Amino acid sequence: MKFINKEFLLSLFLVATSITFAQKKEKVDGVIAVVGDYIVLDSDIDLEYIQLKAQGVDTKDITRCELFGKQLEDKLYAHQAIQDSIVVTDAEVNSYMNEQLDAMIEQVGSLDKVIKFYKKKSEEDFRSYFFDIIKMNKLTSQMQKKIVDEVTITPEEVRNFFKGIPADEIPTFGAEMEVAQIVVKPVITEEEKKRVIDKLNEIRQDVLTGSSFFSKAVLFSEDPGSSSNGGFYKMNRKTAFVKEFKDVAFSLAEGEISAPFETEFGYHIIMVEKIKGQEVELRHILISPKVSSQAIKDAKAKIEAIRTKIVNKEITFADAAKSSSDEKETRNNGGVLLNPRTMEPRFELTKMDPTLYAQVSELKDGEVSLPILEEERGGGKFYKIVTVNDRFEEHQADFSKDYIKIKELALRDKQIKQIAKWTEEKIKETYIKINDEYKDCEFTNNWLKK
């Protein structure tokens, strides 16, 4: 077990259960509960303990009843997801399975080691075992998301939530800072762009005349998240893809292949396989233009010149960002970064990305960093300079200054209450049977329907 670390287990397979559908189960030995179409096995709780220990959690104070209660909740979510016609396709499960398996193999060195770690006889046995687990987890998470997505909160509710917090329980927010940056990207030549577009057009034509899009994606796509699975993605209009990609995807008919188009990641072609209501199943190929070493040198020289003007007070950092930064998301805001977790221009130091923290932690107010070479998501390199606009010391929550954070707390509180209400209602209308040996458990929810 030494060849897979705790973080790897947690990020790849946060699996709490071993599940099978009740109607498919021939043997009922060890069944301790039935929730709708799902069963809970005594061994599921044992697996929960194994997973928690693998994550480094101290389990000595965690009871079997507590883990059993979580098992019941998960099964209720999954059961209700099916009743609500939430669909998790086999293709979606297999796509996720392939991604995780590829990552595991990369981590440990071989498929055999992965199979051995999970005590399975073969790859087929491994896939069969995890297929139902992954599918149930996806049903569970989508059902939870459906419940909380329907919850909204008004400013008045936020105010009442804050007023209702006892004075000695008002939260304290940690030290924060506001950070700004200017980005200069190397210029890609028109010849290189043409080379990529021509290659994608060549691939497109090959597919139109009978070649496999799946095979072409495996061979040529530079998207690490989908290339091994033939470029497959399933998405709807709310899926977190860049606008240009979604615009093309939803403009195509089934079987149609797009012309090459550009996003921040490079150039793509898309082939739509299926359209199911508001969802699209597609495959795509991404190829990113390559940057020459001279272009990288030119980008560095440009950002050094920008920095010199700022340091010599010929221009402010904010004005330089507006006039010269290649990062469209921040340049019109003077280069100010938004915290991706809160979408506000403050970063709590203890929760800050370690790389960004290392770049700004030693800067004095108004000081500009030396040029920093970084690599963006699409693999391209760029230079940036950063500065700290403002610092905020640790402080007790203030309604006007910390409204966004307080709103988050209030919304989370309302979501928790909505989930509790939903659970109470669904328990009443769902068939649930608990084994006698667990009927003495003190559950948070009314699983015994007393």
Side-chain angles (χ1 to χ4, degrees):
M1 293 179 65
K2 295 181 179 178
F3 55 84
I4 298 183
N5 60 32
K6 297 170 186 175
E7 292 78 10
F8 182 69
L9 278 171
L10 177 60
S11 63
L12 292 183
F13 275 105
L14 248 180
V15 181
T17 61
S18 168
I19 62 102
T20 29
F21 289 100
Q23 61 266 36
K24 292 182 180 179
K25 192 73 176 174
E26 296 179 0
K27 300 175 70 175
V28 295
D29 294 342
V31 175
I32 56 177
V34 178
V35 180
D37 292 331
Y38 289 89
I39 63 172
V40 182
L41 302 175
D42 208 27
S43 59
D44 292 340
I45 300 177
D46 297 328
L47 284 173
E48 281 264 24
Y49 276 114
I50 292 171
Q51 291 295 326
L52 290 172
K53 288 176 181 176
Q55 297 161 30
V57 176
D58 185 356
T59 60
K60 70 175 184 295
D61 294 326
I62 300 176
T63 67
R64 292 187 73 84
C65 285
E66 289 172 328
L67 295 183
F68 181 47
K70 183 181 181 302
Q71 289 280 339
L72 295 172
E73 288 179 12
D74 290 343
K75 302 299 189 288
L76 182 66
Y77 286 126
H79 171 76
Q80 193 59 44
I82 294 172
Q83 311 310 306
D84 287 6
S85 300
I86 292 175
V87 176
V88 174
T89 66
D90 290 357
E92 185 179 354
V93 174
N94 286 322
S95 175
Y96 182 81
M97 175 106 65
N98 289 335
E99 289 176 20
Q100 306 312 310
L101 190 54
D102 287 345
M104 283 182 166
I105 291 170
E106 182 179 347
Q107 175 81 4
V108 306
S110 74
L111 176 60
D112 288 342
K113 287 184 178 180
V114 175
I115 292 170
K116 183 179 179 181
F117 175 77
Y118 283 100
K119 296 181 172 62
K120 299 301 164 189
K121 297 175 183 178
S122 63
E123 181 181 352
E124 182 180 358
D125 188 26
F126 174 91
R127 287 179 176 275
S128 176
Y129 175 77
F130 278 112
F131 185 91
D132 283 345
I133 292 173
I134 293 171
K135 188 164 187 174
M136 196 205 74
N137 284 348
K138 284 187 172 293
L139 286 169
T140 296
S141 62
Q142 288 189 33
M143 189 68 246
Q144 290 172 328
K145 185 176 184 299
K146 181 180 179 181
I147 298 167
V148 299
D149 280 354
E150 295 172 355
V151 179
T152 58
I153 196 161
T154 65
E156 186 62 24
E157 287 177 308
V158 177
R159 184 179 298 278
N160 290 336
F161 169 80
F162 187 68
K163 285 182 177 179
I165 301 175
D168 60 348
E169 294 180 16
I170 294 176
T172 297
F173 296 130
E176 300 171 309
M177 62 171 60
E178 181 183 298
V179 178
Q181 69 181 26
I182 296 172
V183 170
V184 172
K185 297 180 179 180
V187 176
I188 298 171
T189 64
E190 293 304 314
E191 291 80 8
E192 175 61 11
K193 292 179 182 179
K194 184 177 183 302
R195 181 192 70 80
V196 172
I197 292 171
D198 288 347
K199 181 62 181 178
L200 286 170
N201 275 323
E202 177 189 325
I203 293 170
R204 181 177 184 274
Q205 188 59 40
D206 287 346
V207 175
L208 289 173
T209 54
S211 294
S212 164
F213 197 103
F214 181 102
S215 298
K216 293 289 187 182
V218 171
L219 288 172
F220 298 108
S221 183
E222 297 173 5
D223 175 18
S226 71
S227 60
S228 64
N229 195 37
F232 180 82
Y233 280 118
K234 176 182 174 182
M235 59 183 289
N236 57 44
R237 292 192 180 274
K238 293 183 178 180
T239 306
F241 281 66
V242 291
K243 180 180 183 298
E244 298 89 345
F245 192 96
K246 288 199 287 189
D247 286 347
V248 173
F250 287 101
S251 70
L252 300 173
E254 284 190 4
E256 189 176 359
I257 305 175
S258 74
F261 65 95
E262 185 178 13
T263 72
E264 64 188 81
F265 301 101
Y267 288 88
H268 312 250
I269 55 173
I270 290 175
M271 181 181 74
V272 169
E273 289 194 336
K274 290 181 182 179
I275 299 175
K276 298 179 178 179
Q278 299 300 311
E279 291 186 332
V280 172
E281 293 183 8
L282 59 82
R283 296 188 186 277
H284 89 118
I285 294 172
L286 164 68
I287 300 179
S288 301
K290 304 302 179 283
V291 176
S292 68
S293 57
Q294 183 58 50
I296 294 176
K297 291 178 183 177
D298 292 344
K300 185 177 182 182
K302 181 180 177 180
I303 205 164
E304 285 175 338
I306 294 170
R307 181 180 184 276
T308 298
K309 287 184 178 181
I310 296 170
V311 171
N312 291 339
K313 301 190 182 306
E314 297 175 36
I315 191 172
T316 65
F317 194 100
D319 286 342
K322 291 176 183 177
S323 62
S324 303
S325 182
D326 291 330
E327 187 173 58
K328 61 182 179 180
E329 296 86 359
T330 62
R331 65 182 174 217
N332 292 327
N333 194 31
V336 175
L337 292 173
L338 292 182
N339 186 332
R341 191 175 57 83
T342 63
M343 298 311 295
E344 65 172 335
R346 289 189 186 183
F347 291 82
E348 191 170 341
L349 302 191
T350 58
K351 298 176 182 177
M352 203 171 189
D353 176 80
T355 301
L356 180 60
Y357 178 77
Q359 293 167 352
V360 300
S361 60
E362 300 299 323
L363 292 178
K364 299 175 182 176
D365 289 350
E367 185 180 1
V368 181
S369 74
L370 293 171
I372 300 166
L373 180 63
E374 282 202 350
E375 191 168 306
E376 57 189 338
R377 290 181 295 172
K381 294 181 179 179
F382 64 91
Y383 277 97
K384 73 175 185 180
I385 51 176
V386 295
T387 191
V388 176
N389 283 347
D390 206 350
R391 285 181 166 85
F392 307 88
E393 298 303 320
E394 182 177 281
H395 62 282
Q396 193 175 55
D398 178 276
F399 186 78
S400 58
K401 294 179 181 178
D402 301 300
Y403 177 80
I404 293 177
K405 290 188 179 66
I406 295 167
K407 180 182 177 182
E408 284 181 0
L409 295 175
L411 179 60
R412 194 177 307 133
D413 180 71
K414 190 174 179 181
Q415 288 172 338
I416 290 170
K417 290 176 180 176
Q418 179 63 25
I419 287 175
K421 180 183 177 183
W422 179 93
T423 302
E424 181 181 358
E425 292 173 353
K426 297 307 176 185
I427 286 175
K428 291 178 181 177
E429 62 188 54
T430 304
Y431 174 75
I432 298 171
K433 184 177 181 181
I434 308 291
N435 198 316
D436 288 343
E437 63 182 294
Y438 282 91
K439 285 188 176 179
D440 290 334
C441 287
E442 295 183 5
F443 297 115
T444 303
N445 297 307
N446 185 27
W447 297 109
L448 299 175
K449 301 188 180 184
K450 293 181 178 179

